[in-house]
Amino acid sequence: MPTETLRVVLGDQLSRSIAALSDLDPARDVVLMAEVIGECAVAPYHRKKLVLVLSAMRHFARALTARGVRVRYVRLDDPENIQTLAGEVRRAVADLEPGHVVVTEPGAWRVLDSMRGWVDGIEIRSDTRFVCSIADFRHWVAGRTGLRMEFFYRQMRRHTGLLMTEDAQPEGGRWNFDAENRRRLPASLQSPPPPEFAPDEVTRQVIELVQWRFPDGFGALDGFHFPVTAVDAEAALADFIAHRLPGFGDWQDAMRRAAPSLFHAVISPALNIGLLDPLAVCQAVEAAWRSGRVALNAAEGFIRQIIGWREYMRGIYWLRMPEYATLNALAATRPLPDFYWSGETRMECIRQVVMQTRRDAYAHHIQRLMVTGNFALLAGLHPDAVDEWYLAVYADAYQWVEMPNTRGMALFADGGIVGSKPYAASGAYINRMSDYCGACSYDVKQTTGAAACPFNALYWDFIARHADRLEANPRMAMPVRSWTKMAADRRTAIRAQAADFLAGLDDGAGNRATVPGSRE
């Protein structure tokens, strides 16, 4: 049967509404999906992330086939697999001789740059799964002297009507309830765990494949429990709304050793590969508030993460790439310590987050920003190495959302494009928002001495190193003044403490360092 159109679907485009399939004719078109080493080995990916994407791809292909769609599915272990997307598209074109090739824009500049040259005349469609298109974001940016997520978020609220009154005002009289999202978690409060989805036969086969192909890869394979179908992803969302969303508003910034996900949804891995629709997710959360099942600060705090931060990060990425990937405003050059991969460190907060990451391929946004991200900022770790780590280890990390969060939000390497200030904090913040410090071999209340928490001296050392830049920032002027008012001998002792710790990182001190592009 002749092929009219070859429709290419990537591993993070597993939505029936994806633009490349919008005018699909099952009788005349073929859908191409390919598992290729060229994508699986871009970074030292967590093996659970690989299982998630490959299993979800196979389930999506199976669902298309059940609808009568012709699917050309190339498996990773297919002996004829060329192992690159470009190669598989060209092989399919040679075999099928389609009159047209259609694909949806990808989530990485690298792939888009390659995609343009896959075949002559390829049609690259806008990804309509997002609330704000790239073109609309550029239009919003035009003429603005400064960009801030809050104002973009308000525009998205108006555009979608989410949490808006009939006279176009924000419900509750406020756009943002962020100040009510930072409460300290009571020790007695328990959070219901997220649901787990047992691997079916398809997923078990993928687990075996990943174990065979990546025997020494990062992260545990046992205990895989992510949803890999739209049906299971919807069940995960419903469970979150019923059981954890009510506590999300008050305690979304909290961290606990025995409850790594606390009140978080843990739906981002499914959302970012297309198993959930972001607007539909927000509408379901809004409905929970309107029916009285959750408080407004819970609904608003969650919706802000989706139509605010998620959409804004994508807009910034495509607005600023490819130059954005080279930004290093603070001239950070230190290699990534090996404990980011191993978890072997005396810092309990780092150990907890990395070991959780190794096990689950997941950590919530405060763990990523204020523990591993904060340490990377304070220690001056190279943005390229930190970018690669975040992209590799988290099941929900794709460059469009990972890079602005890492290079912009966590590291301030973009000089303030994403955030209005560096998110730098001492051990006091981690102690206030978690129970990590009580189990740590360091003393969070000490800044100098053998038992002192490294975050404390590193925080002040960061302020000192970048004082000239920070003192001009209204949100950072106060800590700069506090630093300059310290006694000279106190400042000298703190900087010596930080220098000794950083020298230990540089010298190894039991922690081998990695550089961009390598894991070992």
Side-chain angles (χ1 to χ4, degrees):
M1 182 181 298
T3 300
E4 175 66 26
T5 302
L6 179 68
R7 301 178 180 273
V8 185
V9 174
L10 306 183
D12 59 349
Q13 298 178 346
L14 308 181
S15 308
R16 287 185 62 173
S17 63
I18 195 71
L21 304 183
S22 62
D23 51 352
L24 172 70
D25 181 349
R28 306 179 68 185
D29 300 342
V30 171
V31 173
L32 171 65
M33 301 178 68
E35 307 169 358
V36 296
I37 289 295
E39 296 303 313
C40 292
V42 164
Y45 290 124
H46 197 299
R47 294 187 295 172
K48 277 194 174 80
K49 182 175 187 173
L50 294 174
V51 172
L52 168 66
V53 175
L54 299 184
S55 178
M57 286 176 66
R58 293 185 182 192
H59 282 90
F60 188 74
R62 175 183 285 190
L64 288 176
T65 301
R67 291 168 47 205
V69 177
R70 288 188 294 161
V71 179
R72 178 182 171 112
Y73 195 94
V74 184
R75 296 194 174 205
L76 195 68
D77 54 356
D78 184 333
E80 296 185 3
N81 190 335
I82 296 175
Q83 300 297 352
T84 66
L85 290 174
E88 283 306 309
V89 169
R90 291 166 187 155
R91 184 163 73 97
V93 168
D95 291 348
L96 302 174
E97 299 182 348
H100 195 38
V101 178
V102 174
V103 66
T104 306
E105 62 190 4
W109 177 272
R110 169 188 60 83
V111 180
L112 178 61
D113 193 42
S114 171
M115 183 181 285
R116 290 167 174 151
W118 282 357
V119 292
D120 291 339
I122 189 170
E123 179 186 351
I124 303 174
R125 296 180 176 177
S126 296
D127 192 341
T128 56
R129 297 174 299 169
F130 291 87
V131 175
C132 183
S133 70
I134 296 171
D136 285 346
F137 188 84
R138 292 182 183 276
H139 178 75
W140 177 80
V141 167
R144 294 178 181 269
T145 56
L147 303 181
R148 286 294 170 258
M149 190 284 294
E150 177 65 22
F151 301 111
F152 171 79
Y153 168 57
R154 294 178 187 185
Q155 177 62 25
M156 291 299 98
R157 288 273 295 276
R158 296 185 186 98
H159 174 68
T160 61
L162 289 164
L163 298 180
M164 299 295 288
T165 64
E166 291 183 357
D167 58 349
Q169 296 300 310
E171 294 284 5
R174 292 159 55 189
W175 290 102
N176 189 314
F177 289 81
D178 187 50
E180 297 178 20
N181 298 148
R182 304 169 184 167
R183 296 179 182 175
R184 187 166 187 168
L185 187 70
S188 60
L189 186 66
Q190 300 300 310
S191 58
E196 297 185 354
F197 299 87
D200 62 6
E201 180 58 28
V202 172
T203 302
R204 288 194 295 270
Q205 290 176 1
V206 172
I207 291 172
E208 292 178 2
L209 173 66
V210 171
Q211 176 63 56
W212 167 74
R213 188 61 184 80
F214 303 94
D216 301 317
F218 176 75
L221 266 177
D222 58 301
F224 180 87
H225 55 75
F226 290 121
V228 294
T229 66
V231 170
D232 284 350
E234 291 286 353
L237 172 63
D239 183 89
F240 164 64
I241 292 173
H243 301 297
R244 296 185 306 289
L245 179 59
F248 179 81
D250 290 341
W251 297 294
Q252 66 170 277
D253 285 10
M255 299 172 280
R256 176 178 283 173
R257 295 168 70 235
S261 59
L262 282 175
F263 295 98
H264 288 262
V266 200
I267 62 167
S268 51
L271 181 65
N272 288 353
I273 59 174
L275 300 183
L276 291 169
D277 176 77
L279 183 57
V281 167
C282 291
Q283 290 167 338
V285 168
E286 180 188 39
W289 171 71
R290 293 197 181 278
S291 64
R293 289 178 286 159
V294 301
L296 181 56
N297 74 322
E300 187 280 320
F302 184 82
I303 288 171
R304 183 175 359 109
Q305 295 295 322
I306 305 297
I307 67 167
W309 282 115
R310 185 175 186 267
E311 296 279 338
Y312 186 71
M313 293 301 187
R314 178 175 182 259
I316 291 293
Y317 177 84
W318 288 111
L319 180 71
R320 296 286 185 162
M321 283 295 283
E323 292 81 13
Y324 195 85
T326 67
L327 298 180
N328 188 1
L330 300 183
T333 59
R334 185 163 281 108
L336 192 76
D338 189 59
F339 56 67
Y340 271 76
W341 300 105
S342 70
E344 297 174 1
T345 174
R346 292 173 56 206
M347 293 178 286
E348 181 66 9
C349 57
I350 296 284
R351 191 185 76 83
Q352 282 290 329
V353 175
V354 173
M355 294 307 291
Q356 172 189 328
T357 299
R358 287 175 58 88
R359 182 183 68 244
D360 299 334
Y362 177 83
H364 68 67
H365 69 280
I366 294 300
Q367 293 173 309
R368 300 187 204 192
L369 176 64
M370 299 308 299
V371 179
T372 50
N374 184 29
F375 182 88
L377 171 69
L378 300 181
L381 304 188
H382 197 295
D384 291 354
V386 183
D387 257 343
E388 182 190 61
W389 185 79
Y390 276 100
L391 181 67
V393 304
Y394 291 117
D396 57 4
Y398 295 87
Q399 198 178 69
W400 64 266
V401 68
E402 171 275 321
M403 184 175 285
N405 269 296
T406 301
R407 196 170 288 258
M409 196 76 169
L411 301 181
F412 205 68
D414 66 0
I417 295 173
V418 166
S420 59
K421 74 177 188 74
Y423 279 81
S426 68
Y429 174 88
I430 297 171
N431 188 41
R432 183 169 67 252
M433 300 308 300
S434 79
D435 63 357
Y436 296 153
C437 300
C440 190
S441 61
Y442 292 109
D443 186 345
V444 70
K445 296 182 179 180
Q446 293 187 32
T447 302
T448 58
C453 170
F455 279 82
N456 294 336
L458 290 178
Y459 171 77
W460 289 115
D461 187 64
F462 173 81
I463 297 296
R465 294 198 316 267
H466 302 292
D468 290 346
R469 171 188 285 269
L470 299 179
E471 66 182 354
N473 186 319
R475 299 185 67 189
M476 295 299 296
M478 183 175 293
V480 173
R481 286 197 298 269
S482 297
W483 169 252
T484 58
K485 289 179 181 179
M486 282 186 195
D489 58 345
R490 176 66 169 163
R491 295 199 304 267
T492 299
I494 290 173
R495 298 215 66 182
Q497 178 86 15
D500 286 346
F501 181 85
L502 294 174
L505 288 186
D506 296 339
D507 293 341
N511 296 305
R512 290 178 294 112
T514 60
V515 296
S518 70
R519 185 179 65 86
E520 294 296 337

